[in-house]
Amino acid sequence: MLPLELDQLTFGVNGTPIINGISAKIEAGPRTIILGPNGAGKSVLMRLCHGLLEPTAGRVIWHGARNVDVHRRQAMVFQRPVMLRRSALANVVYGLKLAGKSSRESELRAMDVLEVVGLEKQAQRPARVLSGGEQQRLALARAWALGPDVLFLDEPTANLDPASAHDIENIVNTIHASGTKIIMTTHNLGQARRLGDEILFISNGRLMEHTPIDRFFKEPASVEAAAFIKGELPWH
Amino acid sequence: MTGLGEAFAAAWALVVGLDSGLAGIVLLSLQVSLSAALIATLIGLPLGAAIAVERFPGRQVLIVMLNALMGLPPVVVGLLIYLLLSRAGPLGSLGILFTPQAMVIAQTVLIIPIIAALSRQTIEDAWREYSEQLRSLGARRFRAGMTLIWDTRFSLLTIVLAGFGRAAAEVGAVMIVGGNIDGVTRVMTTTIALETSKGDLPLALGLGIVLITLVIVLNALAAVIREVAQRRYG
Amino acid sequence: MALSRRNVIQGAMAALAMLGLSQGSAFAQQNFITVASTTSTEQSGLFKHLLPVFEKKTGTQVRVVALGTGQALDMARRGDADVVFVHDKVAEEKFVADGFGVRRFEVMYNDFVLVGPKADPAKIAGSKDITDAYKKIAAAGAPFASRGDKSGTHAAELRLWKDAGVDPATGKGGWYRETGSGMGPTLNTASAMNDYSFTDRGTWLSFKNRGDLVIVVEGDQKLFNQYGVMLVNPAKHPHVKKDLGQAFVDWVISPEGQQTIAAYKIGTDQLFFPNAKR
């Protein structure tokens, strides 16, 4: 599927541009973090890439996709997990059956991923009574069970306590290690540092920088990035 | 108030006496209104779900119409179905006027708007919450609609009960298409109307109390089911 | 998972089948006729007494749809009834003349009575002269509750006003009140407001909400209310159950039918007087 190319991607509502002509090429391999202040358009950009929103101008091109249903090869985890009113296992199975797997296959695969994320004991519990952290882990399991080439994550730990956030970060790394491309948004610099290999810095709907992580923090090329880093880290 | 006291006494006497006529009337009332609720749900629920998740020209107009039709006067529905099923009407050869089947048809038509309009609202609210996640997982509109119906099943149960309540309480439609025939199409509400017009007010009120009690019992049952299910599925 | 989707669907199917089946068995019985009659006749309780005798004898179920006379005849004109059993000679004869009825047979008569408050403001209690009583009510402007619903009873009431030389329309909005409803509700209104009212004896005898009302005028020949029975014309409506319907008509005017009618009493009072012509 990858590389993913964004070509003059634009998205506006009632004439107001939220994403304003973003062009970039995202390659397979590195964990990509989309960073930026609140309101910069990170979530909208994710949704454009994943196909949940249609751009008002410009294109989203999956160069590596030949005769492949691009939608089936990607998955997304949202800031607030949305669980169906059924058991944890059933939630994971739901996605698998949508992808055409049999009941038997789905249940086996679902149990496997639940074990990896540490939820095998909650498999039969109603997903909606699980804690926030558990639900987010479940969301990750559900997305990963589908075996996507690309996993989008939209501020997955923004609503979680540090311990749960830590769990999520570990799972993200596990998923990355298994070969899935990670594209994640965050406004948390510490998290970006821990999880990122490269940064796309967005401000006011425009792409300011697309750089490897170390260079970004040492020598931010744009004024906005510098200000952002300064604002977030008090000792800079 | 002596009237009310006599009414309760009459109601008690009816129930304790296990009047076989009353039993038949109650049974028929339940059969007709439950059938209507069931069929109206089978038609109205998918309709509401479809309107909730689809976007098409004229959608807003349809929603307004559906909401308005919730207030259809039962007697008007009765008249329309009567004209359809009368021998002089287009479906007269079916010969089902003045039968319980005609009553089920009339009540079904009466409550389809309620079920469709309210389920549309419920499912649309759920769609707002679920739509991104479901679309991300690859659920197309139809599949998403089905999933939402299942996920909102407890709210939908309340809606079905509301439909049943409306059917069980109405008299205008079943009176006209059923004819209130003794032993054949006489239900609780038409019996109450009959006894009232005969001046037997305590008996009419007594029957009314029996009817209300039945509806309360059914609703209580549904509340219990919802409680248990809520605890199970969250 | 205890309550799976499959369970729910199975449950719904079973319920549907159960409901459908039980109705199906009742409906499978084609051995019935539909009789269009009036609310006052049904409320008198006559049918509960009369019909079981016929049903036992012939095995044919008689389904009575009780409406106002006008509605009953209208229903028969549309072909929704097999037999008509009402009490409005003029309307019935027109029904036959228009070709909707085969032939009109006289069956029985009951009578109308005038009821009114014990206080009797028009001073007519005990009279046997209805036209005179009506004149007195109009003169006194005493409140009067009429059905006003174009029923047979209403038609009879209006004929008597005409005989008395009174136009009750002059009292509309004042002493003359039209309820636009059946006998029972009209009596309810009269009882609540202490009005005079014109009713058939049958409804009065079963009416339980009398309040201060009593019978003030009865026995005048003009108050007799003739019932007729007709088979709906199969030439106009081929689906009419003419054999079963004719059997009912024949039985009602037969000696056995006539005796059964005479035997119907409320308390010790006979309500209907059979007078079928041989």
Side-chain angles (χ1 to χ4, degrees), chain B residues 12-183:
Chain B
W12 186 246
L14 277 172
V15 174
V16 169
L18 274 173
D19 186 71
S20 68
L22 175 69
I25 289 174
V26 171
L27 199 64
L28 184 65
S29 305
L30 287 175
Q31 279 180 322
V32 169
S33 297
L34 282 174
S35 300
L38 205 62
I39 300 172
T41 301
L42 288 173
I43 298 174
L45 197 54
L47 182 64
I51 299 176
V53 304
E54 291 289 348
R55 295 290 173 271
F56 49 87
R59 179 176 179 271
Q60 277 305 117
V61 174
L62 186 59
I63 290 176
V64 168
M65 288 292 331
L66 217 50
N67 288 345
L69 286 174
M70 284 202 284
L72 257 181
V75 70
V76 170
V77 175
L79 197 56
L80 287 169
I81 303 295
Y82 174 81
L83 291 173
L84 269 177
L85 297 179
S86 162
R87 288 283 177 183
L91 298 178
S93 48
L94 291 174
I96 53 177
L97 187 62
F98 302 137
T99 63
Q101 276 81 349
M103 296 159 80
V104 171
I105 292 174
Q107 290 200 338
T108 303
V109 168
L110 182 68
I111 62 181
I112 282 178
I114 295 176
I115 305 223
L118 294 179
S119 63
R120 196 269 321 158
Q121 184 67 62
T122 301
I123 293 172
E124 200 173 307
D125 290 342
W127 183 232
R128 227 168 274 133
E129 189 194 337
Y130 287 60
S131 91
E132 279 193 329
Q133 183 67 76
L134 287 180
R135 283 163 57 215
S136 172
L137 289 172
R140 305 256 185 280
R141 299 258 193 204
F142 177 76
R143 188 60 198 268
M146 301 265 84
T147 304
L148 286 173
I149 289 178
W150 185 246
D151 248 55
T152 55
R153 56 198 180 277
F154 303 122
S155 304
L156 296 180
L157 180 62
T158 307
I159 293 174
V160 173
L161 277 172
F164 167 76
R166 181 93 153 92
E170 73 87 21
V171 67
V174 289
M175 184 70 95
I176 296 182
V177 306
N180 199 14
I181 299 173
D182 192 12

Side-chain angles (χ1 to χ4, degrees), chain B residues 31 35 38 82-83 86-88 97-99 150 179 181-182 184 186 196-201 232-233, chain C residues 2-3 5 16 19 22-23 27 42-43 48 61 63-65 75 78-80 184-185 188 207-209 239:
Chain B
Q31 279 180 322
S35 300
L38 205 62
Y82 174 81
L83 291 173
S86 162
R87 288 283 177 183
L97 187 62
F98 302 137
T99 63
W150 185 246
I181 299 173
D182 192 12
V184 181
R186 192 162 286 179
T196 305
S197 74
K198 277 162 78 172
D200 198 344
L201 302 179
R232 265 231 172 120
Y233 302 105
Chain C
L3 192 76
R5 197 172 329 185
L16 202 67
L19 291 166
S22 39
Q23 281 174 45
F27 191 48
E42 176 170 59
Q43 285 176 23
K48 262 201 149 69
Q61 188 194 31
R63 297 187 181 177
V64 174
V65 180
M75 177 187 146
R78 301 172 63 89
D80 290 328
N188 275 333
F207 186 69
K208 297 198 174 78
N209 190 26
H239 61 264

